[in-house]
Amino acid sequence: MKIEARIFEAIAVFFLIVGVVYTIATYYFRTGVEWAGATAMFFSAGLALIAGTYFRFVARRVEIRPEDFDDAEIEDGAGELGFFSPHSYWPVMIAGAAALFAIGFATANWWFALGVIPIIIATVAGLVFEYHVGPEKH
């Protein structure tokens, strides 16, 4: 996870530098600062910093992976990567609900968009708890 943290922190520094240069350049070569682009640059830096901080935080709590070694080989990461649900229909349901929300939002049909939010929450809960068995089932 340290590699991922470094990547996102480098992206954050890049966007911060480009944002400062962009803000200064638009201030001197236009009639004023172009705020949409400057805001996008600084927000992109902030989002990358959030992701990098998360990966840095998680890296301290998980065991060292082969990706974290500078001299690791591809074979070091071989083996089972985890469990992936082979026939889950929940991602399709989430995508459909999100599409309905986007249609309601794009057409300014606010009651429709707000009415779809419980469906999105229900489908996400279905995905999260798809393989959950209660304590009495153990």
Side-chain angles (χ1 to χ4, degrees), residues 44-132:
S44 296
L47 289 173
L49 187 62
I50 288 171
T53 304
Y54 170 76
F55 282 127
R56 180 80 56 196
F57 181 75
V58 171
R60 290 186 281 160
R61 287 169 172 68
V62 297
E63 66 272 357
I64 296 176
R65 303 174 307 155
E67 294 89 1
D68 295 327
F69 295 116
D70 291 334
D71 58 346
E73 298 291 331
I74 293 175
E75 297 85 28
D76 296 338
E80 186 174 330
L81 296 176
F83 174 74
F84 301 97
S85 181
H87 304 291
S88 179
Y89 58 88
W90 289 110
V92 176
M93 302 279 289
I94 293 171
L100 289 175
F101 176 80
I103 290 170
F105 187 80
T107 59
N109 192 348
W110 307 118
W111 292 110
F112 180 74
L114 291 174
V116 175
I117 289 175
I119 298 171
I120 293 173
I121 293 171
T123 54
V124 169
L127 177 70
V128 169
F129 295 114
E130 183 173 13
Y131 290 103
H132 176 73

